[in-house]
């Protein structure tokens, strides 16, 4: 085998270096690495110990103790049942659970549990819903081994978008939604400047990827936007007729 001398290697390194220095640099329009840096301070918060824990900048809507953040549609106190284990359950005739505070763009964390004892099927099985601005529903339903129309199952944007996958847990098990909502923007004349948008993560799985909301969700109406306030209360649906009381816990929201 031929020996390669140190001298030869040194000459090679010299040649490579000289070649690199002689290569004309691309004109980068006067941009330096430093000019691409932003040093505007980023707000510091303290995240929760787990992804389910409210970070320090969240508004805790329900922490298991009281329903002071909520009211009924008529402004009277919310009547859902507080359970000893720190959950809240819909009861017959209680009406929707509506926040006192209004929200626009937000990130919401909510945990829900459909009844362990399965009584019905389809839409009559643990039906509730998270209505952003009281108008745009992310469906809550027991969709474990329960056939219904796809765009009406759990994590659907009701009657607009089926979830990408069915990530439902069994009846009686706690499930999570982490939802990013962008409110629609309206022009002065009432036209839509930008539709609302929804991203939904169900039990840690992305199921709605920044979908464009078509208008208010409704059982029997084609969605048509109608100009409304930039912030409106969040609503948890009392479906009322199904005899399948839904439970919620650990509800927090971050305004964006
Ligand atoms: Mg519903």
């Amino acid at each position: 085998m031929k020996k390669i001398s140190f001298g030869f290697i040194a000459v090679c390194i010299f040649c490579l270096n000289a070649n690199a220095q002689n290569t004309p640099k691309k004109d980068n329009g006067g941009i330096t690495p430093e000019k691409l840096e932003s040093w505007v301070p980023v707000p510091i918060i303290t995240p929760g110990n787990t992804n389910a824990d409210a970070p320090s900048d969240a508004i805790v809507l329900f922490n298991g103790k009281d329903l002071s953040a909520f009211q009924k549609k008529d402004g009277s106190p919310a009547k859902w049942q507080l359970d000893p284990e720190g959950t809240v359950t819909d009861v017959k005739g209680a009406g929707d659970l509506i926040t006192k505070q209004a929200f626009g763009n937000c990130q919401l964390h909510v945990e829900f549990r459909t009844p362990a004892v399965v009584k019905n099927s389809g839409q009559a099985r643990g039906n509730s819903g998270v209505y952003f601005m009281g108008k745009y529903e992310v469906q809550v339903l027991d969709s474990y081994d329960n056939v219904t129309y796809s765009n009406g199952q759990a994590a659907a944007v009701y009657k607009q978008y089926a979830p990408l996958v069915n990530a439902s847990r069994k009846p009686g098990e706690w499930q999570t939604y982490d939802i990013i909502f962008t409110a629609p923007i309206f022009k002065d004349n009432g036209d839509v400047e930008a539709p609302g948008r929804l991203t939904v993560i169900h039990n840690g799985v992305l199921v709605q990827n920044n979908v464009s909301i078509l208008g208010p969700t409704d059982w029997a109406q084609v969605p048509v936007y109608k100009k409304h306030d930039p912030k409106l209360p969040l609503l948890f649906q009392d479906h009322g007729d199904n005899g399948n009381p839904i439970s919620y816990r650990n509800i927090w929201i971050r305004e964006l």
Side-chain angles (χ1 to χ4, degrees):
M1 193 177 181
K2 254 186 177 177
K3 278 189 179 173
I4 300 173
S5 74
F6 282 117
F8 177 73
I9 292 170
V11 168
C12 286
I13 290 172
F14 174 79
C15 289
L16 282 170
N17 198 31
N19 193 39
Q21 284 176 355
N22 290 337
T23 303
K25 280 187 180 165
K26 276 186 187 169
D27 180 9
N28 203 17
I31 298 295
T32 62
E34 291 74 21
K35 285 185 177 172
L36 299 172
E37 296 170 357
S38 168
W39 286 72
V40 175
V42 171
I44 297 171
I45 64 156
T46 306
N49 290 324
T50 75
N51 290 349
D53 296 335
S56 59
D57 64 344
I59 297 165
V60 176
L61 294 173
F62 180 63
N63 63 3
K65 293 190 174 78
D66 63 70
L67 289 174
S68 57
F70 296 94
Q71 59 190 7
K72 291 179 76 170
K73 193 177 179 181
D74 62 6
S76 62
K79 294 290 186 195
W80 288 36
Q81 175 187 302
L82 280 168
D83 309 311
E85 70 268 32
T87 67
V88 63
T89 300
D90 188 9
V91 289
K92 200 170 183 181
D96 298 322
L97 198 59
I98 303 169
T99 58
K100 292 175 182 172
Q101 187 172 341
F103 299 98
N105 299 345
C106 62
Q107 173 190 352
L108 177 77
H109 174 86
V110 57
E111 300 175 20
F112 66 93
R113 180 183 62 191
T114 62
V117 179
V118 173
K119 288 182 180 168
N120 302 314
S121 62
Q123 291 290 305
R125 194 165 135 180
N127 197 330
S128 182
V130 182
Y131 283 70
F132 291 86
M133 311 191 96
K135 298 176 183 297
Y136 310 107
E137 182 186 16
V138 174
Q139 174 71 304
V140 172
L141 193 75
D142 175 2
S143 284
Y144 187 88
D145 194 20
N146 179 31
V147 176
T148 187
Y149 42 95
S150 302
N151 61 359
Q153 70 181 73
V157 177
Y158 186 70
K159 288 205 168 165
Q160 295 186 21
Y161 298 97
L164 296 170
V165 294
N166 182 351
S168 295
R169 295 195 175 121
K170 292 178 181 175
E173 294 186 7
W174 283 100
Q175 308 194 52
T176 61
Y177 279 164
D178 289 282
I179 303 174
I180 295 138
F181 171 73
T182 304
I185 301 170
F186 296 94
K187 296 177 182 171
D188 288 342
N189 68 1
D191 289 349
V192 176
E193 186 171 315
R197 308 194 78 89
L198 275 164
T199 295
V200 181
I201 295 171
H202 183 193
N203 295 327
V205 179
L206 179 68
V207 292
Q208 300 285 357
N209 188 6
N210 196 30
V211 296
S212 180
I213 304 167
L214 305 176
T217 56
D218 193 88
W219 176 53
Q221 297 291 322
V222 173
V224 178
Y225 275 113
K226 195 175 171 192
K227 189 179 180 187
H228 56 67
D229 291 345
K231 290 187 177 185
L232 287 169
L234 182 71
L235 181 154
F236 294 86
Q237 183 187 31
D238 165 27
H239 202 263
D241 58 353
N242 58 36
N244 260 338
I246 189 88
S247 298
Y248 288 101
R249 72 177 182 189
N250 191 22
I251 307 172
W252 52 261
I253 193 166
R254 295 180 64 239
E255 294 189 286
L256 302 176

